[in-house]
Amino acid sequence: MTLMIQGMIILILSLLMMSMSSILSKKTFQDREKSSPFECGFDPKTSARLPFSLQFFLIAVIFLVFDVEITLLIPLITIMKTMNTSNILILSTLFIMILIIGTYHEWNQGALNWAN
């Protein structure tokens, strides 16, 4: 019960601090000069905020996920000496199946198509 009360106090204090900081801040979002990019005092010719390729972002995230999963596979080689062969086989098969299912899901979602 005391843990729940402490959690509520922390939540209330956090919300109070965030609301007070947003009320007391002197930043204005409508200031045209601050929201526009700096080009020697002249109005910019084009938008400084270029569109971001979502497909590139998805490929980068998929690369990072598989990179981390490969680093998780490497210790299986050293564990082979200490564990039973059937346990290693089940563990590695389960891990590889999760990777294959994830890749298949990304393929079905169209994240791996570069033609778009």
Side-chain angles (χ1 to χ4, degrees), residues 39-62:
E39 284 191 13
C40 300
F42 297 106
D43 288 332
K45 294 182 180 180
T46 60
S47 175
R49 292 164 183 86
L50 299 173
F52 186 72
S53 173
L54 185 62
Q55 187 135 17
F56 174 76
F57 177 73
L58 287 175
I59 294 295
V61 168
I62 290 170

Side-chain angles (χ1 to χ4, degrees), residues 63-76:
F63 172 76
L64 287 175
V65 166
F66 279 104
D67 194 36
V68 169
E69 288 171 349
I70 287 174
T71 60
L72 292 175
L73 275 175
I74 291 173
L76 282 177

